[in-house]
Amino acid sequence: MRRRAFLTAAVAGTAGALTAFGTAPALAHDRGDRRVLHVRPGDSVQAAVDAVDGPGWTIVVHPGTYREVVNIPAGTVDLTLRGATRDPRDAVIVYDHANGTQKPDGSGTYGTAGSATFTSAAPGLTVHGLTIANDWLRADHPEITGTQAVAAYITGDRSSFSRVRLLAHQDTLFADTTALTAFDRQYYRDCYIEGDVDFVFGRATAVFERCHFHTLDRDVTFKPEGMVFAPATARANPYGFLAVRSRVTSGAEDAAYKIARPWVPSYETTAWPSLVVRETELGPGIDAVAPYTNMREAYPWQSMRFREYRNTGPGAVISVPENRPQLTDAEAEVHTRETYLGDWSPCA
């Protein structure tokens, strides 16, 4: 199913697939020290963000499809953004920029980070019960070679997402940090994340607990079709990505995907990517024989901090042990949510 049609179908049953084109300010309620903004179809999520004038605000997004780019600046501290219903499919924030999309002012292209539908550099951000998507499609733009199209670009310490759907193709979730020397922490719980190439990537310390990763089927003749993770952890950071008690499913044929490949950016060649996948169900879409690959031969995955622990499913079968480095029981005691997040205990 084409991405834009899929998004419309996801909300049609409850929200009439309403779309926000306006920039009307959201309605605010100030109840003592609890400040709440409501965004409804016809309003703009970005207008609500712009109306926030201090820490601790909540923005409630009502059912509808909000076709806009949302940017939460670093000064918007401890903001909560949540859907108004129990179903994250009801409220959708979506746009369609890609890396290679030309900016309307003629100043060049958006680049990977600039392509994001949802960007936040705010510390203490909490997002719950929403869909965030980038519905740009390669097939619609064969002239564009920069095909990264980010749904969410997240930096800032203590960023927490629960029951959030993140939808795109290449580079869905850019889980990064505010600076090369920062070890910003992110937490994702009960989230659904789908894509094809490197669709969870970046240098953040990020914990994915009880998340569902889904690999899309690509119309290509080569293998692998893509990879789930592409961490770019700073060498000085002891903790990168941790996926725990999660699952990986696939819309592609068996063994078409890798778990990960290391990303060593040209602007940070000292990066030492770190990924631990533990107690996670790996479906048949993952290549069990060779679940990791290189992005560049100069940085082989075997030299990176890639480990697994007690995974299950057909994609977790260990037939070539040297291709599947495992944690010992003692090492596994360190690679936990509590260790990665330190003194921060996000609300589940």
Side-chain angles (χ1 to χ4, degrees):
M1 184 180 293
R2 294 175 70 82
R3 166 69 59 225
R4 196 161 290 136
F6 171 78
L7 287 168
T8 301
V11 297
T14 56
L18 295 169
T19 303
F21 293 103
T23 57
L27 178 65
H29 301 282
D30 192 338
R31 300 174 180 173
D33 62 352
R34 181 177 175 83
R35 294 169 290 178
V36 181
L37 291 160
H38 288 267
V39 179
R40 296 179 174 86
D43 296 335
S44 162
V45 178
Q46 185 63 54
V49 172
D50 294 342
V52 168
D53 60 3
W57 280 79
T58 295
I59 296 174
V60 180
V61 183
H62 289 260
T65 300
Y66 300 84
R67 179 161 286 278
E68 59 178 315
V69 173
V70 175
N71 189 349
I72 302 174
T76 308
V77 179
D78 294 334
L79 174 69
T80 295
L81 188 68
R82 65 177 179 85
T85 72
R86 298 174 63 89
D87 192 338
R89 295 174 296 181
D90 290 346
V92 178
I93 302 171
V94 58
Y95 213 72
D96 60 351
H97 285 153
N99 177 332
T101 302
Q102 290 288 332
K103 295 180 181 179
D105 63 3
S107 62
T109 60
Y110 284 98
T112 298
S115 73
T117 296
F118 184 93
T119 297
S120 174
L125 173 72
T126 298
V127 182
H128 176 79
L130 293 172
T131 292
I132 300 170
N134 188 321
D135 62 357
W136 187 89
L137 290 172
R138 300 180 184 97
D140 291 345
H141 303 278
E143 76 285 1
I144 292 179
T145 57
T147 58
Q148 298 88 348
V150 176
Y153 174 40
I154 308 301
T155 62
D157 196 30
R158 298 179 294 107
S159 297
S160 176
F161 290 70
S162 62
R163 291 186 56 79
V164 172
R165 299 166 74 238
L166 297 164
L167 313 178
H169 284 260
Q170 184 171 353
D171 291 9
T172 303
L173 172 61
F174 195 172
D176 212 41
T177 65
T178 49
L180 293 177
T181 56
F183 299 163
D184 297 332
R185 297 161 294 178
Q186 301 178 16
Y187 179 60
Y188 300 83
R189 180 164 179 166
D190 297 318
C191 291
Y192 174 86
I193 309 170
E194 74 172 27
D196 49 40
V197 179
D198 303 332
F199 63 93
V200 179
F201 72 114
R203 65 172 177 263
T205 297
V207 176
F208 301 88
E209 188 167 21
R210 299 191 331 211
C211 289
H212 179 184
F213 305 93
H214 183 71
T215 64
L216 297 170
D217 190 16
R218 290 182 65 193
D219 186 17
V220 294
T221 58
F222 53 80
K223 296 292 183 291
E225 292 186 21
M227 310 81 193
V228 179
F229 298 99
T233 322
R235 182 168 293 271
N237 189 352
Y239 309 116
F241 290 171
L242 169 65
V244 56
R245 292 188 295 279
S246 295
R247 63 185 175 124
V248 179
T249 61
S250 182
E253 64 185 82
D254 290 358
Y257 273 82
K258 306 293 188 181
I259 296 174
R261 64 179 179 175
W263 179 33
V264 179
S266 58
Y267 54 81
E268 191 183 13
T269 57
T270 62
W272 191 19
S274 174
L275 168 70
V276 171
V277 180
R278 59 176 298 172
E279 298 153 314
T280 289
E281 181 182 352
L282 304 178
I286 295 298
D287 181 358
V289 175
Y292 304 100
T293 189
N294 299 334
M295 186 175 292
R296 292 195 294 275
E297 295 304 316
Y299 305 103
W301 73 263
Q302 292 90 343
S303 65
M304 304 302 169
R305 294 176 284 177
F306 286 2
R307 296 292 186 272
E308 298 179 56
Y309 183 71
R310 294 187 178 179
N311 294 324
T312 60
V317 173
I318 302 174
S319 57
V320 184
E322 59 267 31
N323 287 347
R324 309 211 68 146
Q326 304 288 310
L327 294 174
T328 66
D329 290 344
E331 290 169 336
E333 293 180 0
V334 176
H335 293 277
T336 64
R337 176 185 65 189
E338 292 77 14
T339 301
Y340 278 52
L341 300 185
D343 61 0
W344 174 45
S345 297
C347 295

